[in-house]
Amino acid sequence: YMGGDSIVRLLLFWSLLLPLGARFSIDAVRGRAAIAANSLLSGASVALLLQVGLIYWATGVPKDGDLWRTGQAVFYALHSYMATPFGEWMRGAPPALLRALSDSTLLVERFGPLLAFVPIYTPLFRLLAVALFWGFHIGLAAAMNIGLFPVFSMVAWLAFLPTELWERFRPSSAADVPVRRLLARAASIV
């Protein structure tokens, strides 16, 4: 059992209550699903976003033991059986860097999700939050053998990408018909 299992279950649960089929389905690619609005505000969409934030707050707030207070948590984590070859190499990093990584882990988990809920310049802050957490999880995956947890966590942050970014990937004009046909062919194989 890994933490990624819980993240997948939560994402799938909230996905049941969202109109994902209107955009992210074979029916949508083939043009058989009604096009949904460009943005959606519902109880499920709010719950999904809050759930992602709560994952980090629930893990960041309890980290108040001696190892975290003294900045030695990353040092000890890298000396566990879960360290990757890169993590083993990182064991030799200067103590100040390992302390900075411990402190930044606390900051990212406790305060990073707040970036996604800033009410002004929301698209910019959400992009910053996604980039921050993707970098965080890439770093975790590089240093620790923790299964698919980083991948599932990165997928969870896709929900925060602004509408404007998603619109860039949506075929919407006659010039996009070849793209739609290509996607429909790929979908027919499935």
PDB file of all heavy atoms in Angstrom, residues 19-36 171 180-181 183-190:
ATOM      1  N   PRO A  19     -18.241  16.266 -15.197  1.00  0.00           N
ATOM      2  CA  PRO A  19     -18.553  15.930 -16.590  1.00  0.00           C
ATOM      3  C   PRO A  19     -17.295  15.715 -17.443  1.00  0.00           C
ATOM      4  O   PRO A  19     -17.087  16.365 -18.458  1.00  0.00           O
ATOM      5  CB  PRO A  19     -19.349  17.145 -17.063  1.00  0.00           C
ATOM      6  CG  PRO A  19     -18.783  18.272 -16.273  1.00  0.00           C
ATOM      7  CD  PRO A  19     -18.448  17.689 -14.922  1.00  0.00           C
ATOM      8  N   LEU A  20     -16.440  14.798 -17.028  1.00  0.00           N
ATOM      9  CA  LEU A  20     -15.196  14.563 -17.755  1.00  0.00           C
ATOM     10  C   LEU A  20     -15.442  13.994 -19.146  1.00  0.00           C
ATOM     11  O   LEU A  20     -14.652  14.204 -20.051  1.00  0.00           O
ATOM     12  CB  LEU A  20     -14.279  13.633 -16.961  1.00  0.00           C
ATOM     13  CG  LEU A  20     -13.822  14.145 -15.603  1.00  0.00           C
ATOM     14  CD1 LEU A  20     -12.893  13.136 -14.953  1.00  0.00           C
ATOM     15  CD2 LEU A  20     -13.146  15.483 -15.730  1.00  0.00           C
ATOM     16  N   GLY A  21     -16.530  13.282 -19.332  1.00  0.00           N
ATOM     17  CA  GLY A  21     -16.828  12.689 -20.627  1.00  0.00           C
ATOM     18  C   GLY A  21     -17.059  13.709 -21.720  1.00  0.00           C
ATOM     19  O   GLY A  21     -16.888  13.420 -22.902  1.00  0.00           O
ATOM     20  N   ALA A  22     -17.434  14.916 -21.352  1.00  0.00           N
ATOM     21  CA  ALA A  22     -17.676  15.955 -22.351  1.00  0.00           C
ATOM     22  C   ALA A  22     -16.371  16.466 -22.966  1.00  0.00           C
ATOM     23  O   ALA A  22     -16.389  17.042 -24.043  1.00  0.00           O
ATOM     24  CB  ALA A  22     -18.436  17.112 -21.715  1.00  0.00           C
ATOM     25  N   ARG A  23     -15.261  16.246 -22.308  1.00  0.00           N
ATOM     26  CA  ARG A  23     -13.975  16.733 -22.814  1.00  0.00           C
ATOM     27  C   ARG A  23     -12.935  15.632 -22.976  1.00  0.00           C
ATOM     28  O   ARG A  23     -12.175  15.626 -23.910  1.00  0.00           O
ATOM     29  CB  ARG A  23     -13.383  17.792 -21.866  1.00  0.00           C
ATOM     30  CG  ARG A  23     -14.158  19.043 -21.755  1.00  0.00           C
ATOM     31  CD  ARG A  23     -14.005  19.876 -22.989  1.00  0.00           C
ATOM     32  NE  ARG A  23     -14.780  21.101 -22.802  1.00  0.00           N
ATOM     33  CZ  ARG A  23     -14.472  22.219 -23.344  1.00  0.00           C
ATOM     34  NH1 ARG A  23     -13.427  22.315 -24.098  1.00  0.00           N
ATOM     35  NH2 ARG A  23     -15.222  23.271 -23.147  1.00  0.00           N
ATOM     36  N   PHE A  24     -12.871  14.742 -22.027  1.00  0.00           N
ATOM     37  CA  PHE A  24     -11.776  13.777 -21.966  1.00  0.00           C
ATOM     38  C   PHE A  24     -12.283  12.355 -22.155  1.00  0.00           C
ATOM     39  O   PHE A  24     -12.134  11.510 -21.278  1.00  0.00           O
ATOM     40  CB  PHE A  24     -11.038  13.911 -20.635  1.00  0.00           C
ATOM     41  CG  PHE A  24     -10.555  15.300 -20.386  1.00  0.00           C
ATOM     42  CD1 PHE A  24     -11.180  16.130 -19.484  1.00  0.00           C
ATOM     43  CD2 PHE A  24      -9.467  15.797 -21.096  1.00  0.00           C
ATOM     44  CE1 PHE A  24     -10.732  17.418 -19.265  1.00  0.00           C
ATOM     45  CE2 PHE A  24      -9.017  17.081 -20.892  1.00  0.00           C
ATOM     46  CZ  PHE A  24      -9.655  17.891 -19.979  1.00  0.00           C
ATOM     47  N   SER A  25     -12.880  12.103 -23.290  1.00  0.00           N
ATOM     48  CA  SER A  25     -13.379  10.759 -23.559  1.00  0.00           C
ATOM     49  C   SER A  25     -13.287  10.467 -25.054  1.00  0.00           C
ATOM     50  O   SER A  25     -13.112  11.365 -25.872  1.00  0.00           O
ATOM     51  CB  SER A  25     -14.836  10.635 -23.102  1.00  0.00           C
ATOM     52  OG  SER A  25     -15.675  11.424 -23.936  1.00  0.00           O
ATOM     53  N   ILE A  26     -13.413   9.221 -25.375  1.00  0.00           N
ATOM     54  CA  ILE A  26     -13.434   8.818 -26.784  1.00  0.00           C
ATOM     55  C   ILE A  26     -14.648   9.426 -27.469  1.00  0.00           C
ATOM     56  O   ILE A  26     -14.572   9.872 -28.610  1.00  0.00           O
ATOM     57  CB  ILE A  26     -13.414   7.280 -26.896  1.00  0.00           C
ATOM     58  CG1 ILE A  26     -12.049   6.770 -26.411  1.00  0.00           C
ATOM     59  CG2 ILE A  26     -13.694   6.832 -28.318  1.00  0.00           C
ATOM     60  CD1 ILE A  26     -11.951   5.266 -26.298  1.00  0.00           C
ATOM     61  N   ASP A  27     -15.777   9.485 -26.766  1.00  0.00           N
ATOM     62  CA  ASP A  27     -16.978  10.098 -27.345  1.00  0.00           C
ATOM     63  C   ASP A  27     -16.746  11.565 -27.681  1.00  0.00           C
ATOM     64  O   ASP A  27     -17.213  12.054 -28.716  1.00  0.00           O
ATOM     65  CB  ASP A  27     -18.164   9.971 -26.391  1.00  0.00           C
ATOM     66  CG  ASP A  27     -18.699   8.557 -26.318  1.00  0.00           C
ATOM     67  OD1 ASP A  27     -18.505   7.807 -27.305  1.00  0.00           O
ATOM     68  OD2 ASP A  27     -19.298   8.194 -25.295  1.00  0.00           O
ATOM     69  N   ALA A  28     -16.020  12.282 -26.848  1.00  0.00           N
ATOM     70  CA  ALA A  28     -15.743  13.694 -27.132  1.00  0.00           C
ATOM     71  C   ALA A  28     -14.851  13.825 -28.359  1.00  0.00           C
ATOM     72  O   ALA A  28     -15.064  14.699 -29.201  1.00  0.00           O
ATOM     73  CB  ALA A  28     -15.087  14.351 -25.926  1.00  0.00           C
ATOM     74  N   VAL A  29     -13.871  12.951 -28.489  1.00  0.00           N
ATOM     75  CA  VAL A  29     -12.973  12.997 -29.647  1.00  0.00           C
ATOM     76  C   VAL A  29     -13.741  12.697 -30.922  1.00  0.00           C
ATOM     77  O   VAL A  29     -13.510  13.311 -31.965  1.00  0.00           O
ATOM     78  CB  VAL A  29     -11.798  12.007 -29.461  1.00  0.00           C
ATOM     79  CG1 VAL A  29     -11.000  11.851 -30.734  1.00  0.00           C
ATOM     80  CG2 VAL A  29     -10.903  12.470 -28.326  1.00  0.00           C
ATOM     81  N   ARG A  30     -14.658  11.764 -30.851  1.00  0.00           N
ATOM     82  CA  ARG A  30     -15.447  11.397 -32.031  1.00  0.00           C
ATOM     83  C   ARG A  30     -16.593  12.360 -32.299  1.00  0.00           C
ATOM     84  O   ARG A  30     -17.321  12.203 -33.267  1.00  0.00           O
ATOM     85  CB  ARG A  30     -16.001   9.985 -31.856  1.00  0.00           C
ATOM     86  CG  ARG A  30     -14.923   8.933 -31.909  1.00  0.00           C
ATOM     87  CD  ARG A  30     -15.530   7.579 -31.794  1.00  0.00           C
ATOM     88  NE  ARG A  30     -14.526   6.540 -31.993  1.00  0.00           N
ATOM     89  CZ  ARG A  30     -14.754   5.264 -31.824  1.00  0.00           C
ATOM     90  NH1 ARG A  30     -15.941   4.846 -31.464  1.00  0.00           N
ATOM     91  NH2 ARG A  30     -13.795   4.387 -32.014  1.00  0.00           N
ATOM     92  N   GLY A  31     -16.777  13.356 -31.415  1.00  0.00           N
ATOM     93  CA  GLY A  31     -17.832  14.339 -31.615  1.00  0.00           C
ATOM     94  C   GLY A  31     -19.203  13.867 -31.175  1.00  0.00           C
ATOM     95  O   GLY A  31     -20.210  14.452 -31.543  1.00  0.00           O
ATOM     96  N   ARG A  32     -19.280  12.807 -30.377  1.00  0.00           N
ATOM     97  CA  ARG A  32     -20.572  12.271 -29.933  1.00  0.00           C
ATOM     98  C   ARG A  32     -21.000  12.792 -28.574  1.00  0.00           C
ATOM     99  O   ARG A  32     -22.088  12.487 -28.122  1.00  0.00           O
ATOM    100  CB  ARG A  32     -20.511  10.747 -29.887  1.00  0.00           C
ATOM    101  CG  ARG A  32     -20.334  10.137 -31.266  1.00  0.00           C
ATOM    102  CD  ARG A  32     -20.479   8.652 -31.228  1.00  0.00           C
ATOM    103  NE  ARG A  32     -19.525   8.043 -30.310  1.00  0.00           N
ATOM    104  CZ  ARG A  32     -19.007   6.846 -30.447  1.00  0.00           C
ATOM    105  NH1 ARG A  32     -19.349   6.111 -31.483  1.00  0.00           N
ATOM    106  NH2 ARG A  32     -18.160   6.371 -29.583  1.00  0.00           N
ATOM    107  N   ALA A  33     -20.158  13.574 -27.909  1.00  0.00           N
ATOM    108  CA  ALA A  33     -20.512  14.126 -26.605  1.00  0.00           C
ATOM    109  C   ALA A  33     -20.748  15.627 -26.752  1.00  0.00           C
ATOM    110  O   ALA A  33     -20.088  16.300 -27.538  1.00  0.00           O
ATOM    111  CB  ALA A  33     -19.398  13.875 -25.598  1.00  0.00           C
ATOM    112  N   ALA A  34     -21.700  16.133 -25.999  1.00  0.00           N
ATOM    113  CA  ALA A  34     -21.964  17.566 -26.020  1.00  0.00           C
ATOM    114  C   ALA A  34     -20.776  18.290 -25.407  1.00  0.00           C
ATOM    115  O   ALA A  34     -20.228  17.860 -24.399  1.00  0.00           O
ATOM    116  CB  ALA A  34     -23.228  17.869 -25.228  1.00  0.00           C
ATOM    117  N   ILE A  35     -20.380  19.380 -26.035  1.00  0.00           N
ATOM    118  CA  ILE A  35     -19.259  20.169 -25.529  1.00  0.00           C
ATOM    119  C   ILE A  35     -19.706  20.888 -24.260  1.00  0.00           C
ATOM    120  O   ILE A  35     -20.724  21.573 -24.241  1.00  0.00           O
ATOM    121  CB  ILE A  35     -18.775  21.198 -26.574  1.00  0.00           C
ATOM    122  CG1 ILE A  35     -18.284  20.468 -27.827  1.00  0.00           C
ATOM    123  CG2 ILE A  35     -17.697  22.099 -25.996  1.00  0.00           C
ATOM    124  CD1 ILE A  35     -17.066  19.602 -27.615  1.00  0.00           C
ATOM    125  N   ALA A  36     -18.930  20.711 -23.212  1.00  0.00           N
ATOM    126  CA  ALA A  36     -19.240  21.353 -21.940  1.00  0.00           C
ATOM    127  C   ALA A  36     -18.709  22.781 -21.937  1.00  0.00           C
ATOM    128  O   ALA A  36     -17.914  23.167 -22.784  1.00  0.00           O
ATOM    129  CB  ALA A  36     -18.612  20.558 -20.799  1.00  0.00           C
ATOM    130  N   PRO A 171      -9.276  21.229 -30.057  1.00  0.00           N
ATOM    131  CA  PRO A 171      -9.573  21.572 -31.453  1.00  0.00           C
ATOM    132  C   PRO A 171     -10.858  22.380 -31.518  1.00  0.00           C
ATOM    133  O   PRO A 171     -11.865  21.982 -30.955  1.00  0.00           O
ATOM    134  CB  PRO A 171      -9.752  20.215 -32.131  1.00  0.00           C
ATOM    135  CG  PRO A 171      -9.106  19.227 -31.225  1.00  0.00           C
ATOM    136  CD  PRO A 171      -9.228  19.786 -29.843  1.00  0.00           C
ATOM    137  N   ARG A 180      -8.570  16.536 -35.193  1.00  0.00           N
ATOM    138  CA  ARG A 180      -9.726  15.793 -34.662  1.00  0.00           C
ATOM    139  C   ARG A 180      -9.815  14.416 -35.331  1.00  0.00           C
ATOM    140  O   ARG A 180     -10.099  13.426 -34.684  1.00  0.00           O
ATOM    141  CB  ARG A 180     -11.002  16.599 -34.892  1.00  0.00           C
ATOM    142  CG  ARG A 180     -12.217  15.958 -34.234  1.00  0.00           C
ATOM    143  CD  ARG A 180     -13.445  16.829 -34.360  1.00  0.00           C
ATOM    144  NE  ARG A 180     -13.362  18.047 -33.608  1.00  0.00           N
ATOM    145  CZ  ARG A 180     -13.668  18.160 -32.327  1.00  0.00           C
ATOM    146  NH1 ARG A 180     -14.051  17.104 -31.657  1.00  0.00           N
ATOM    147  NH2 ARG A 180     -13.584  19.316 -31.715  1.00  0.00           N
ATOM    148  N   ARG A 181      -9.572  14.355 -36.652  1.00  0.00           N
ATOM    149  CA  ARG A 181      -9.608  13.066 -37.353  1.00  0.00           C
ATOM    150  C   ARG A 181      -8.523  12.125 -36.834  1.00  0.00           C
ATOM    151  O   ARG A 181      -8.762  10.937 -36.648  1.00  0.00           O
ATOM    152  CB  ARG A 181      -9.442  13.275 -38.855  1.00  0.00           C
ATOM    153  CG  ARG A 181     -10.677  13.799 -39.522  1.00  0.00           C
ATOM    154  CD  ARG A 181     -10.502  13.809 -41.030  1.00  0.00           C
ATOM    155  NE  ARG A 181     -11.603  14.498 -41.641  1.00  0.00           N
ATOM    156  CZ  ARG A 181     -11.500  15.313 -42.668  1.00  0.00           C
ATOM    157  NH1 ARG A 181     -10.327  15.534 -43.214  1.00  0.00           N
ATOM    158  NH2 ARG A 181     -12.553  15.906 -43.158  1.00  0.00           N
ATOM    159  N   LEU A 183      -7.158  12.152 -33.860  1.00  0.00           N
ATOM    160  CA  LEU A 183      -7.563  11.705 -32.532  1.00  0.00           C
ATOM    161  C   LEU A 183      -8.684  10.666 -32.621  1.00  0.00           C
ATOM    162  O   LEU A 183      -8.691   9.698 -31.875  1.00  0.00           O
ATOM    163  CB  LEU A 183      -8.005  12.892 -31.672  1.00  0.00           C
ATOM    164  CG  LEU A 183      -6.900  13.867 -31.241  1.00  0.00           C
ATOM    165  CD1 LEU A 183      -7.506  15.091 -30.573  1.00  0.00           C
ATOM    166  CD2 LEU A 183      -5.906  13.183 -30.339  1.00  0.00           C
ATOM    167  N   ALA A 184      -9.622  10.879 -33.558  1.00  0.00           N
ATOM    168  CA  ALA A 184     -10.707   9.912 -33.725  1.00  0.00           C
ATOM    169  C   ALA A 184     -10.163   8.553 -34.201  1.00  0.00           C
ATOM    170  O   ALA A 184     -10.627   7.506 -33.745  1.00  0.00           O
ATOM    171  CB  ALA A 184     -11.741  10.450 -34.711  1.00  0.00           C
ATOM    172  N   ARG A 185      -9.182   8.572 -35.098  1.00  0.00           N
ATOM    173  CA  ARG A 185      -8.573   7.298 -35.526  1.00  0.00           C
ATOM    174  C   ARG A 185      -7.879   6.601 -34.371  1.00  0.00           C
ATOM    175  O   ARG A 185      -7.995   5.396 -34.217  1.00  0.00           O
ATOM    176  CB  ARG A 185      -7.576   7.550 -36.663  1.00  0.00           C
ATOM    177  CG  ARG A 185      -8.236   7.792 -37.969  1.00  0.00           C
ATOM    178  CD  ARG A 185      -7.216   7.856 -39.089  1.00  0.00           C
ATOM    179  NE  ARG A 185      -7.844   8.413 -40.273  1.00  0.00           N
ATOM    180  CZ  ARG A 185      -7.213   9.056 -41.194  1.00  0.00           C
ATOM    181  NH1 ARG A 185      -5.911   9.242 -41.120  1.00  0.00           N
ATOM    182  NH2 ARG A 185      -7.857   9.539 -42.242  1.00  0.00           N
ATOM    183  N   ALA A 186      -7.138   7.366 -33.603  1.00  0.00           N
ATOM    184  CA  ALA A 186      -6.458   6.779 -32.439  1.00  0.00           C
ATOM    185  C   ALA A 186      -7.490   6.227 -31.468  1.00  0.00           C
ATOM    186  O   ALA A 186      -7.298   5.147 -30.900  1.00  0.00           O
ATOM    187  CB  ALA A 186      -5.578   7.831 -31.760  1.00  0.00           C
ATOM    188  N   ALA A 187      -8.600   6.946 -31.276  1.00  0.00           N
ATOM    189  CA  ALA A 187      -9.647   6.471 -30.364  1.00  0.00           C
ATOM    190  C   ALA A 187     -10.324   5.209 -30.887  1.00  0.00           C
ATOM    191  O   ALA A 187     -10.738   4.360 -30.116  1.00  0.00           O
ATOM    192  CB  ALA A 187     -10.673   7.571 -30.145  1.00  0.00           C
ATOM    193  N   SER A 188     -10.427   5.066 -32.219  1.00  0.00           N
ATOM    194  CA  SER A 188     -11.092   3.881 -32.781  1.00  0.00           C
ATOM    195  C   SER A 188     -10.266   2.615 -32.562  1.00  0.00           C
ATOM    196  O   SER A 188     -10.790   1.520 -32.570  1.00  0.00           O
ATOM    197  CB  SER A 188     -11.380   4.086 -34.261  1.00  0.00           C
ATOM    198  OG  SER A 188     -10.170   4.122 -34.998  1.00  0.00           O
ATOM    199  N   ILE A 189      -8.965   2.784 -32.380  1.00  0.00           N
ATOM    200  CA  ILE A 189      -8.116   1.634 -32.104  1.00  0.00           C
ATOM    201  C   ILE A 189      -8.384   1.076 -30.717  1.00  0.00           C
ATOM    202  O   ILE A 189      -8.309  -0.114 -30.494  1.00  0.00           O
ATOM    203  CB  ILE A 189      -6.627   2.024 -32.248  1.00  0.00           C
ATOM    204  CG1 ILE A 189      -6.329   2.402 -33.703  1.00  0.00           C
ATOM    205  CG2 ILE A 189      -5.698   0.923 -31.771  1.00  0.00           C
ATOM    206  CD1 ILE A 189      -4.962   3.018 -33.904  1.00  0.00           C
ATOM    207  N   VAL A 190      -8.734   1.991 -29.800  1.00  0.00           N
ATOM    208  CA  VAL A 190      -8.946   1.600 -28.405  1.00  0.00           C
ATOM    209  C   VAL A 190     -10.164   0.778 -28.210  1.00  0.00           C
ATOM    210  O   VAL A 190     -11.057   0.535 -28.723  1.00  0.00           O
ATOM    211  CB  VAL A 190      -9.024   2.840 -27.508  1.00  0.00           C
ATOM    212  CG1 VAL A 190      -9.373   2.472 -26.093  1.00  0.00           C
ATOM    213  CG2 VAL A 190      -7.740   3.598 -27.567  1.00  0.00           C
TER     214      VAL A 190
END
